[in-house]
Amino acid sequence: MTGSESASKGYVGPTARMIAEMTRKLRLKKGWSQEQLGKAMGYTAQAVSALETYTHAVSDQMLQKLEKHLGEGMGFFEAARVPVRLEKLPAQFKNWSLEEQKVLSLFLYTATVVHGLFQTEEYAKALIGGGYPPLSEQQVNELVEIRMGRKALFDRKPLPHIELILEEAALRRTIGSAEIMRRQLLFLLEEAERDNVTIQVLPLDCGLSGKHAGVRGGMTLAETPDHDRVVYMEIQDESVLVSDQGKVSTYAQRYAKIRSQALDPRASLGLIKQLAGENP
């Protein structure tokens, strides 16, 4: 998005409405018109008007500009960036998004595409932009930005332990283009070099023996800061967060079985290198 573009259309939540009110009050305090504020930030007067009248949800880029030109050192607009992003999240992900950033351990299994935490920006954009019903370009860009922001988890202190098990089919399914997919595979290899990350591949021939523990779909098994375990799953446009420890135990056993059927980490990375064309 360029600075001349207006903030995105869509649901305007309570945080965005509070920002609109604060923007109007601080703008008037400075004695600026909407046109003057817009010019200072690189936006049109119409974009500022849309923000102040709740016509458009404020963008992350606009929040940064508001902090620079209206913030007065308070940090209000900077602090609002995270809650505003959360308000834009798909409904099924909102309950999990904050919890994900606090976990001590993550055990991920995905069957159809590369897990969101391990996606490159261009892979994520192709994936989100190719979904149905179709989204506007601005909505796609905002969801990609939010997805990329989740990666802060990898460098958080203390470092979380993260395991990813990917179906081989997800690695062979080209998203966007062959080159985008190749760069995605190379990115997986880079992430696997982290001390707190392990990546394994569940091979296509897993079901030949008649045993495939992952046939019921993907899951996220997490250890919370209180050392409890929860399971998060997405099915179409719905999500489920399971905290009942009896049910969680069943999912944990299933994940362990999936892990046992996957290639070991070294062989998994070898397969990813081969698919990326890194091996002769």
Side-chain angles (χ1 to χ4, degrees):
M1 186 183 78
T2 62
S4 60
E5 293 176 322
S6 64
S8 65
K9 292 183 178 180
Y11 169 72
V12 179
T15 304
R17 288 174 178 267
M18 181 172 62
I19 289 166
E21 290 295 324
M22 183 66 79
T23 298
R24 184 180 64 83
K25 290 178 180 178
L26 290 174
R27 175 178 62 79
L28 293 175
K29 181 181 177 182
K30 280 183 173 288
W32 284 359
S33 66
Q34 291 179 338
E35 183 177 3
Q36 287 172 314
L37 175 59
K39 184 177 181 180
M41 297 193 302
Y43 287 84
T44 63
Q46 290 78 9
V48 177
S49 175
L51 164 63
E52 294 184 357
T53 58
Y54 314 144
T55 305
H56 295 269
V58 64
S59 70
D60 190 71
Q61 184 183 47
M62 183 178 273
L63 281 172
Q64 294 179 65
K65 296 292 184 65
L66 287 168
E67 181 64 39
K68 178 179 179 180
H69 296 282
L70 282 185
E72 297 185 346
M74 295 184 296
F76 170 78
F77 295 108
E78 178 65 28
R81 291 174 65 188
V82 171
V84 166
R85 287 176 186 173
L86 293 176
E87 288 182 349
K88 295 176 183 178
L89 284 171
Q92 73 273 14
F93 190 69
K94 287 182 179 178
N95 290 337
W96 171 245
S97 58
L98 285 176
E99 297 303 318
E100 181 184 63
Q101 294 300 308
K102 297 185 292 186
V103 298
L104 300 179
S105 301
L106 273 179
F107 303 90
L108 313 167
Y109 167 60
T110 181
T112 56
V113 296
V114 175
H115 191 277
L117 282 172
F118 287 83
Q119 291 174 8
T120 65
E121 183 172 349
E122 57 184 354
Y123 179 99
K125 187 170 185 177
L127 186 65
I128 295 172
Y132 190 87
L135 301 174
S136 69
E137 182 179 358
Q138 184 59 38
Q139 287 174 311
V140 171
N141 289 338
E142 287 184 343
L143 289 174
V144 170
E145 182 180 46
I146 291 168
R147 185 164 295 181
M148 295 302 101
R150 291 167 59 194
K151 295 178 182 292
L153 173 67
F154 286 90
D155 298 306
R156 190 208 66 203
K157 304 298 182 183
L159 285 175
H161 173 77
I162 303 174
E163 290 186 12
L164 171 65
I165 301 175
L166 277 163
E167 288 270 4
E168 183 180 343
L171 300 174
R172 292 183 178 275
R173 178 173 292 109
T174 301
I175 300 294
S177 70
E179 189 56 34
I180 287 175
M181 197 64 210
R182 180 177 181 275
R183 287 193 288 266
Q184 174 63 72
L185 295 171
L186 294 176
F187 181 72
L188 287 172
L189 295 173
E190 291 176 12
E191 294 296 272
E193 293 178 1
R194 293 176 178 267
D195 291 337
N196 59 322
V197 171
T198 301
I199 296 179
Q200 292 179 254
V201 177
L202 193 66
L204 285 175
D205 62 4
C206 176
L208 285 177
S209 64
K211 298 179 180 180
H212 187 328
V215 293
R216 298 187 185 183
M219 73 170 84
T220 295
L221 177 67
E223 181 186 4
T224 73
D226 296 325
H227 302 288
D228 291 325
R229 294 186 299 176
V230 297
V231 172
Y232 174 77
M233 295 174 289
E234 289 185 3
I235 306 167
Q236 294 292 331
D237 290 331
E238 304 296 331
S239 65
V240 179
L241 185 61
V242 181
S243 58
D244 179 275
Q245 292 304 294
K247 294 181 179 179
V248 171
S249 178
T250 298
Y251 284 114
Q253 292 173 32
R254 186 175 298 158
Y255 179 88
K257 192 65 175 178
I258 294 170
R259 184 201 284 141
S260 73
Q261 294 174 345
L263 301 175
D264 66 52
R266 179 174 295 181
S268 295
L269 297 184
L271 176 57
I272 295 173
K273 286 180 181 178
Q274 181 181 352
L275 293 174
E278 293 297 288
N279 285 347

